[in-house]
Amino acid sequence: MDNEYNPGKIESGVQKKWEDSNAFHVTEDPNKEKFYCLSMFPYPSGKLHMGHVRNYAIGDVISRYQRMQGKNVMQPMGWDAFGLPAEGAAIKNNVPPAKWTYENIDYMRGQLKRLGFAYDWDRELATCSPEYYRWEQWFFTQLYEKGLVYKKTSIVNWDPVDQTVLANEQVIEGKGWRSGAVVERREIPQWFLRITDYADELLADLEKLPGWPDAVRTMQANWIGRSEGLEVDFKVEDSEDALRIYTTRPDTIMGITYMAVAAEHPLAKAASENDAVLRAFIQECKSGGTTEVEMETMEKKGLPLNINVRHPITDELIPLWVSNFVLMGYGTGAVMAVPGHDQRDWEFAHKYDLPIKQVIVPSDGSDHDLSESAFTDKGLLNNSAQFDGLNSADAFNAIADFVEKNRCGNRKVNYRLRDWGISRQRYWGCPIPIINNKNGEALAVPADQLPVVLPVDIEFEGISSPIKSMSEFINIDAPDGSGPGERETDTFDTFFESSWYFARYCCPDNDQAMLDERADYWLPVDQYIGGIEHAILHLLYARFFTKLMRDLGLLKSDEPFTNLLTQGMVLKDGSKMSKSKGNTVDPQPLIDEYGADTVRLFMMFASPPEQSLEWSDTGVEGSFRFLKRLWKLSSAHINDGKTGVLEKSSMTNSQRELRRKIHLTIDKVNDDIGRRYTFNTAIAAVMEMINALSRAELKESNDHAIMREGIETAVLLLSPIVPHITDALWKALGHEEALIDAAWPKSDPEALEQNEIEMVVQVNGKLRSKITVAKTADQKQIEALAMTDEKIQQHIEGKTVRKTIVIPGRLVNIVVS
RNA sequence: GCCGGGGUGGCGGAAUUGGUAGACGCGCCGGAUUCAAAAUCCGGUUUCUUCGGAAGUGCGGGUUCGAUUCCCGCCCUCGGCACCA
């Protein structure tokens, strides 16, 4: 074999072999344990970036490892192909989004193949193809029928100059990215999915996901934000109206000193009719974007409405304010304000000189200075009439009972989670399959008229969606026979597509149904891998869709992903690689120069997958160097032609030690790849083994036999990570069988045995000496050996030994004074 | 602002269940090889040191025979915050 490592030649040869034999195509096999390994599919933005390479390298290592465990492994790949950047490219370069997207897909597919990922390409799908999105249109109409879809108004970013809705990303420092105009909040009608109907199940089932990181489960639980509280109606003075609020702290209800409503609230609108100052304020409240950050960090402002409401318990009159910190879209659009016990209310009260009343005192009897801050902990009620002396929990019940008895409120479970708005006023997305008839009724497009195909032969004249002015798309007879109707021109949120693609991979060729029984063979996904930035939205929506599909009888699983690996980001000079920062590194030139194996190896070696990875050009060279050393060691051994025969009974101590190293490495790598997913330490362990083999003297048959055992072990252990070079070495070592189907190595217990163990001896917790003890030594013998050690004698001389701690197999700690 | 991570040599990182801090790699220094260089190989590499040791895992405190690991309080930094994907 060649003495030189030539990755270009090796990799293209191995890849051709895989392709010709369709090596990664799988079908359902009831006799084998299945393993569905999925990496989050990419948005086809143009070319692969380092984050993709990292994500897909991790998924590929896990897939190949599982295959060597004898499992029936499916690893598919596809394209999350709808999205905003295609429209940006269309506007900028006058290229249709479909053309741009499909060209990007072609290029990126080539890159993935060049990296040697073990995908079943027969399952490839692109979400922008009608064959894919027709089923989510159909699914939407089923949900509509079941009442899980509804229409309501909600706020969007509005660019008053370009007369268009903007995505949050298109709002730069409160201004439209193209026009530079100050963005406004505007309410428009949009479609929603009732995800809140599933809030309890989505929360409870997090318990069924022990294979997910705790951080992700915590974030999802906090996002859903289940709270138990009280809904209370406050009568509006001189009116029949009631103002409904929701509170999680009914125990503080006696401390209300004012109330507040959102600018869009009907009471505020009504009050502003004859009040120019109020009108101006309400208008001012509309400026700004829609993000939660903006809402939470903006300066809190308000104006009194000169309306009073009656306290449901005391019947006192309370002034009503309008404020920008209350949101119409969240809860009832009105809040009770208790400045003594809520920090935001406290700050607002200070600003507008509103009274602050203490009705809760700390239960430990300490004092809280209300002039410094609100007291937000629970405690004992005070200044609260008949509720005085109750603790917060008892007061919650007493007050809830009171309002329920007096029919002015009731206990209610609330969620921070809001229903999912799926309408987008954009072109490059899946058309929402709705036709509005002339009576203003929204009708689902009948199944036999699906898919509603997005016209792709279009041009962007301005920046708004071309189908919004395309009469041949819009005008259509209503399906109820009522005459001419109009198509919905909004498209789905692209999260809609990515919420079920994992299921479609199981049966991408079915043109009669969304899913079939093959989905029940493969699902749930055994291992899902993707960026931590998807911890909440994408993963929550995919969980939600799984439950919807289950309830429509399309599949059997409750959860989509059994195990989740959230990979960290790829950084350069400490910050995320991004075009705007100009610190991107294109993986392609590195693949061209060093080969796929080197790039894959570096990605897996530089840091554990959950952590961020700091990019290093010299680190890549280091990985390349290691592969060259592996090649050299192997070719020297193979070309030498001496295979040797291991005579276990005649092994020298150093031979025994080297062989022990090999089998320790097998256990270590198996644990690191199979259980811990710390590929970096797995690689380090193989490097240590290769270093040890390189130092070994080759004198007799045993030496050659151990060398061969070591090299074969290294090839097998590294094969999921660097599949090309190991395939070539495997063949050169004389194996006929394909490496991808070779059995994963098992350690020989006999090789791991050792008669003596090294133990550390500490004095007062500080390392002072090391001793070698027999494996069979008991605690007393170990202690005696430690005490008589020369160096230890020096440290305990003249001192009193107070205690001796022996941790078998590890250390002895002698405590002296 | 809210929710969730992270912080260890010059750098990436290791230490898996509270038990030897710095594995492995990069970089750097020295040496071998070479006319020379590249490549390769060998050795060294936390800091301070009176060469006995001492200090040291973002900062301050605590628990423990023993803390990178557990607890409390801070600082910095990264991800998400519902229309980027």
Side-chain angles (χ1 to χ4, degrees):
Chain A
M1 68 180 287
D2 276 354
N3 287 317
E4 287 285 305
Y5 170 47
N6 183 342
K9 198 172 121 196
I10 293 166
E11 292 180 359
S12 59
V14 177
Q15 285 168 11
K16 185 166 186 309
K17 183 173 81 181
W18 290 334
E19 186 142 7
D20 290 348
S21 63
N22 212 0
F24 305 112
H25 177 65
V26 274
T27 51
E28 301 70 40
D29 180 350
N31 299 317
K32 261 181 165 179
E33 189 181 343
K34 67 97 184 175
F35 192 91
Y36 183 179
C37 185
L38 182 66
S39 293
M40 290 182 185
F41 64 167
Y43 177 76
S45 54
K47 53 188 182 183
L48 292 184
H49 57 65
M50 286 296 179
H52 292 134
V53 178
R54 188 180 193 198
N55 194 162
Y56 304 143
I58 294 166
D60 201 46
V61 172
I62 295 170
S63 292
R64 289 171 179 271
Y65 170 83
Q66 292 295 341
R67 181 169 178 150
M68 291 175 81
Q69 302 293 318
K71 294 185 190 164
N72 193 30
V73 176
M74 168 162 86
Q75 193 186 200
M77 183 44 71
W79 310 96
D80 187 16
F82 277 136
L84 208 47
E87 291 187 32
I91 294 163
K92 198 174 159 199
N93 307 322
N94 198 30
V95 50
K99 183 173 188 284
W100 183 82
T101 301
Y102 281 110
E103 282 172 5
N104 289 345
I105 288 174
D106 285 342
Y107 182 75
M108 291 168 77
R109 185 192 302 109
Q111 289 189 296
L112 292 175
K113 289 192 172 177
R114 178 66 189 87
L115 281 160
F117 297 132
Y119 297 133
D120 181 355
W121 284 106
D122 294 342
R123 295 173 187 271
E124 180 183 1
L125 55 83
T127 59
C128 62
S129 72
E131 293 74 39
Y132 180 82
Y133 67 66
R134 65 178 294 187
W135 296 114
E136 68 189 40
Q137 290 178 335
W138 171 81
F139 188 59
F140 175 85
T141 63
Q142 300 301 300
L143 297 176
Y144 191 33
E145 209 166 273
K146 284 196 75 177
L148 287 161
V149 171
Y150 65 100
K151 204 171 192 180
K152 70 166 184 186
T153 62
S154 88
I155 53 169
V156 291
N157 301 303
W158 180 256
D159 186 320
V161 170
D162 277 340
Q163 291 283 302
T164 188
V165 175
L166 297 178
N168 285 334
E169 198 188 46
Q170 297 171 313
V171 179
I172 316 288
E173 288 170 8
K175 291 171 183 162
W177 67 334
R178 293 173 63 88
S179 69
V182 174
V183 168
E184 295 171 3
R185 283 191 285 268
R186 174 175 280 213
E187 288 197 272
I188 62 168
Q190 310 208 63
W191 290 100
F192 285 80
L193 294 193
R194 292 191 195 278
I195 191 171
T196 52
D197 280 10
Y198 285 78
D200 268 327
E201 196 190 348
L202 288 166
L203 182 64
D205 284 0
L206 289 170
E207 300 290 325
K208 293 187 193 163
L209 297 171
W212 282 37
D214 290 339
V216 175
R217 290 193 292 170
T218 306
M219 280 191 271
Q220 292 219 346
N222 291 339
W223 183 263
I224 294 167
R226 186 180 194 276
S227 63
E228 290 179 7
L230 197 59
E231 213 168 49
V232 189
D233 288 331
F234 288 63
K235 284 192 181 123
V236 179
E237 193 191 16
D238 302 327
S239 158
E240 292 301 302
D241 293 340
L243 181 66
R244 174 165 289 188
I245 61 99
Y246 175 79
T247 178
T248 57
R249 290 293 304 273
D251 56 316
T252 67
I253 201 166
M254 302 303 274
I256 297 175
T257 59
Y258 63 100
M259 308 276 293
V261 294
E264 295 86 358
H265 197 279
L267 280 174
K269 277 186 180 164
S272 72
E273 270 171 28
N274 301 312
D275 187 332
V277 178
L278 259 181
R279 270 203 304 279
F281 178 74
I282 288 171
Q283 186 57 38
E284 190 193 329
C285 285
K286 284 183 183 167
S287 72
T290 59
T291 66
E292 196 183 340
V293 188
E294 248 181 295
M295 301 298 180
E296 293 290 328
T297 55
M298 71 187 170
E299 194 194 347
K300 312 290 187 287
K301 290 180 189 169
L303 274 183
L305 284 176
N306 297 316
I307 297 173
N308 292 314
V309 299
R310 288 202 179 272
H311 194 286
I313 296 170
T314 65
D315 213 34
E316 276 170 36
L317 288 174
I318 308 162
L320 182 62
W321 284 58
V322 57
S323 170
N324 62 351
F325 71 71
V326 186
L327 302 179
M328 198 61 218
Y330 186 43
T332 60
V335 297
M336 68 179 210
V338 184
H341 305 287
D342 179 279
Q343 190 59 26
R344 188 187 60 190
D345 295 347
W346 185 91
E347 281 160 21
F348 193 83
H350 262 262
K351 181 168 176 174
Y352 292 104
D353 212 15
L354 291 158
I356 297 173
K357 185 178 167 192
Q358 180 162 23
V359 293
I360 307 279
V361 293
S363 34
D364 62 4
S366 63
D367 278 329
H368 181 90
D369 186 357
L370 273 191
S371 65
E372 287 292 314
S373 65
F375 176 65
T376 57
D377 292 349
K378 294 190 174 165
L380 300 173
L381 271 73
N382 190 13
N383 285 328
S384 298
Q386 67 264 44
F387 306 109
D388 273 0
L390 292 177
N391 65 37
S392 288
D394 292 341
F396 184 115
N397 283 318
I399 289 165
D401 288 346
F402 181 95
V403 299
E404 283 179 352
K405 200 171 135 204
N406 288 282
R407 296 177 185 281
C408 58
N410 48 276
R411 287 174 170 86
K412 196 182 177 211
V413 172
N414 233 16
Y415 300 94
R416 206 188 76 93
L417 179 69
R418 312 197 291 259
D419 274 338
W420 176 13
I422 49 165
S423 296
R424 296 292 179 271
Q425 297 70 44
R426 304 192 211 298
Y427 161 73
W428 190 235
C430 170
I432 298 178
I434 289 285
I435 296 166
N436 298 297
N437 70 13
K438 62 186 178 193
N439 305 320
E441 292 166 305
L443 307 168
V445 175
D448 61 4
Q449 290 177 34
L450 293 175
V452 177
V453 176
L454 180 74
V456 293
D457 190 18
I458 51 95
E459 256 183 73
F460 271 79
E461 292 185 348
I463 56 173
S464 70
S465 167
I467 58 170
K468 292 206 172 284
S469 54
M470 191 181 281
S471 54
E472 61 271 38
F473 178 75
I474 296 169
N475 296 324
I476 180 144
D477 284 344
D480 61 353
S482 62
E486 290 190 348
R487 276 199 198 283
E488 171 71 70
T489 56
D490 280 0
T491 51
F492 284 138
D493 175 5
T494 57
F495 276 126
F496 210 94
E497 282 89 56
S498 55
S499 295
W500 71 286
Y501 77 110
F502 50 89
R504 185 67 184 175
Y505 277 137
C506 304
C507 49
D509 54 353
N510 192 331
D511 60 3
Q512 299 299 311
M514 183 173 181
L515 300 177
D516 60 37
E517 69 288 347
R518 289 174 288 176
D520 287 322
Y521 173 83
W522 289 111
L523 291 174
V525 171
D526 294 280
Q527 182 66 57
Y528 196 34
I529 306 116
I532 182 68
E533 66 274 18
H534 295 292
I536 295 173
L537 291 178
H538 162 61
L539 291 167
L540 189 66
Y541 293 146
R543 294 182 59 220
F544 172 46
F545 255 55
T546 300
K547 293 174 193 304
L548 290 174
M549 290 189 285
R550 175 200 63 195
D551 291 348
L552 285 178
L554 296 165
L555 48 78
K556 295 199 176 89
S557 358
D558 293 320
E559 286 288 337
F561 314 121
T562 306
N563 295 291
L564 173 69
L565 180 59
T566 50
Q567 135 219 352
M569 288 181 313
V570 180
L571 309 178
K572 177 85 194 294
D573 309 320
S575 61
K576 187 179 180 174
M577 283 190 186
S578 74
K579 279 184 194 166
S580 57
K581 284 188 195 120
N583 62 346
T584 55
V585 178
D586 185 352
Q588 196 55 48
L590 294 160
I591 300 167
D592 295 341
E593 184 176 355
Y594 298 105
D597 281 340
T598 292
V599 174
R600 294 170 59 123
L601 180 66
F602 173 71
M603 279 289 175
M604 305 309 288
F605 181 57
S607 58
E610 303 218 330
Q611 278 181 40
S612 58
L613 181 154
E614 176 69 30
W615 182 259
S616 156
D617 290 332
T618 52
V620 179
E621 280 174 45
S623 292
F624 186 55
R625 215 172 291 162
F626 171 70
L627 293 181
K628 282 195 287 187
R629 284 213 331 267
L630 173 70
W631 185 270
K632 216 174 103 183
L633 186 73
S634 307
S635 62
H637 167 77
I638 293 163
N639 292 337
D640 195 26
K642 294 176 186 155
T643 48
V645 176
L646 186 66
E647 287 287 342
K648 286 186 185 173
S649 56
S650 70
M651 277 193 287
T652 64
N653 277 342
S654 61
Q655 284 167 349
R656 192 162 290 145
E657 226 169 87
L658 182 59
R659 190 155 181 273
R660 180 162 183 270
K661 180 79 185 169
I662 293 168
H663 288 264
L664 280 174
T665 304
I666 292 173
D667 284 350
K668 166 83 177 149
V669 172
N670 187 47
D671 190 46
D672 283 354
I673 296 184
R675 179 182 65 88
R676 293 210 303 155
Y677 289 165
T678 52
F679 311 103
N680 55 330
T681 52
I683 294 163
V686 179
M687 285 175 169
E688 279 187 57
M689 183 181 80
I690 294 292
N691 289 345
L693 288 170
S694 305
R695 280 192 295 267
E697 290 188 321
L698 291 169
K699 286 196 255 177
E700 49 173 83
S701 174
N702 270 353
D703 293 324
H704 296 292
I706 293 168
M707 176 62 78
R708 186 168 193 85
E709 191 177 0
I711 290 170
E712 295 213 329
T713 300
V715 165
L716 288 165
L717 295 179
L718 289 173
S719 68
I721 299 165
V722 285
H724 309 90
I725 182 174
T726 48
D727 183 276
L729 292 174
W730 190 243
K731 217 167 90 186
L733 284 160
H735 294 278
E736 298 288 330
E737 157 203 41
L739 179 60
I740 52 171
D741 288 315
W744 188 252
K746 282 197 174 70
S747 65
D748 173 4
E750 199 188 321
L752 294 171
E753 266 177 36
Q754 58 180 353
N755 300 323
E756 292 182 324
I757 304 165
E758 187 178 71
M759 285 180 71
V760 158
V761 186
Q762 297 179 333
V763 177
N764 286 345
K766 290 188 186 221
L767 172 67
R768 295 302 179 188
S769 186
K770 289 178 185 176
I771 53 174
T772 305
V773 301
K775 194 179 77 175
T776 52
D778 63 22
Q779 195 145 328
K780 272 199 177 143
Q781 291 171 307
I782 294 168
E783 217 176 295
L785 204 60
M787 286 300 196
T788 52
D789 184 86
E790 197 184 325
K791 287 184 199 149
I792 297 305
Q793 279 293 316
Q794 288 169 19
H795 280 94
I796 60 176
E797 209 179 6
K799 291 171 184 161
T800 317
V801 175
R802 303 227 165 253
K803 202 175 183 182
T804 309
I805 294 139
V806 179
I807 309 293
R810 283 197 185 264
L811 59 71
V812 181
N813 188 14
I814 301 162
V815 184
V816 298
S817 61

